[in-house]
Amino acid sequence: AQSVTQLDSQVPVFEEAPVELRCNYSSSVSVYLFWYVQYPNQGLQLLLKYLSGSTLVKGINGFEAEFNKSQTSFHLRKPSVHISDTAEYFCAVSDWNNAGNMLTFGGGTRLMVKP
Amino acid sequence: ETGVTQTPRHLVMGMTNKKSLKCEQHLGHNAMYWYKQSAKKPLELMFVYSLEERVENNSVPSRFSPECPNSSHLFLHLHTLQPEDSALYLCASSQGDSYNTEAFFGQGTRLTVV
């Protein structure tokens, strides 16, 4: 069985400061990892994904994440945040089979960017 | 329209009502999903349809009944719900036979059961 743990439920940060949102996973099969963002009253939008290859993955809006197999982590980072980055961020692991891409989500981290 | 569209965006229903949530995807995908997002709980996968056949049912109560008439449309029929069923219901789609693709989500239906 797969599981995802997002260690921080809320992360307050000042504008233009760097931020790291932590994610740890457990999986017994090949790992496909995702970060999604959810703005208020919206659905989820993909930020980035790790499927294979380079462990440093770059996504939209200046975000990046690093896959660390030994630490079973996939932390999300941004060197300088904006007010507009205020949202809920979800880490997810995929249990992909021929029937589809079933995602197991972490509990989410609310990023609050303050001026 | 493009992407994944859910209607209605908001729904208030009584515990004895019957209602349906609708999802439509314009991405040419062949897998569709229902997720439930409750306050203080992680997103939960409810149902998966691949090629219009249900392939996953995560122990969801029978008061939720999904329907997938074709690869572009997905419904969630609701009857005799409980107040704890109040949540944001998200629909998603993906290309089910390809691992290097992500799930695309709709904006959700905010359901309130009174």
Side-chain angles (χ1 to χ4, degrees):
Chain A
Q2 300 176 109
S3 66
V4 178
T5 302
Q6 292 183 242
L7 298 163
D8 306 296
S9 59
Q10 294 186 76
V11 173
V13 63
F14 286 105
E15 194 174 18
E16 298 183 6
V19 71
E20 178 181 82
L21 306 184
R22 297 180 292 169
C23 172
N24 287 89
Y25 68 90
S26 66
S27 175
S28 58
V29 297
S30 298
V31 176
Y32 306 119
L33 293 158
F34 304 80
W35 274 100
Y36 283 85
V37 61
Q38 185 178 33
Y39 299 102
N41 300 313
Q42 299 292 319
L44 277 67
Q45 178 184 2
L46 182 73
L47 276 178
L48 48 79
K49 60 186 177 185
Y50 171 79
L51 303 175
S52 65
S54 173
T55 57
L56 184 63
V57 180
K58 293 190 183 297
I60 63 171
N61 301 341
F63 284 94
E64 63 180 31
E66 185 157 18
F67 171 60
N68 188 319
K69 188 174 181 179
S70 63
Q71 297 187 5
T72 61
S73 68
F74 190 55
H75 300 332
L76 181 71
R77 301 186 184 100
K78 186 169 182 178
S80 176
V81 294
H82 301 130
I83 295 288
S84 59
D85 292 323
T86 295
E88 187 99 20
Y89 292 79
F90 293 93
C91 182
V93 61
S94 170
D95 178 9
W96 183 81
N97 57 46
N98 289 329
N101 190 359
M102 289 173 261
L103 296 169
T104 299
F105 285 89
T109 297
R110 185 171 300 278
L111 177 63
M112 299 174 292
V113 181
K114 299 181 283 187
Chain B
E1 288 196 56
T2 58
V4 182
T5 304
Q6 290 186 243
T7 54
R9 292 292 310 276
H10 300 272
L11 177 63
V12 179
M13 61 185 287
M15 289 190 284
T16 58
N17 291 159
K18 290 184 179 181
K19 297 285 185 183
S20 296
L21 310 185
K22 179 183 176 183
C23 176
E24 184 173 1
Q25 60 98 359
H26 304 272
L27 300 168
H29 291 159
N30 59 11
M32 297 187 77
Y33 314 79
W34 280 116
Y35 284 86
K36 177 182 179 182
Q37 186 177 27
S38 306
K40 304 184 189 303
K41 291 180 70 176
L43 278 147
E44 303 170 73
L45 178 65
M46 300 175 72
F47 300 104
V48 180
Y49 275 82
S50 177
L51 300 174
E52 302 153 40
E53 289 190 18
R54 188 191 307 179
V55 295
E56 182 80 12
N57 174 356
N58 261 7
S59 303
V60 179
S62 60
R63 57 186 183 269
F64 295 91
S65 175
E67 179 189 3
C68 188
N70 55 62
S71 60
S72 299
H73 293 86
L74 184 65
F75 295 89
L76 188 62
H77 303 300
L78 315 171
H79 64 98
T80 60
L81 294 191
Q82 304 298 312
E84 59 265 28
D85 296 322
S86 298
L88 182 68
Y89 289 85
L90 292 164
C91 173
S93 71
S94 72
Q95 193 57 26
D97 57 358
S98 176
Y99 75 94
N100 61 346
T101 181
E102 67 270 21
F104 289 78
F105 285 80
Q107 293 185 306
T109 295
R110 173 70 63 187
L111 174 67
T112 303
V113 181
V114 297

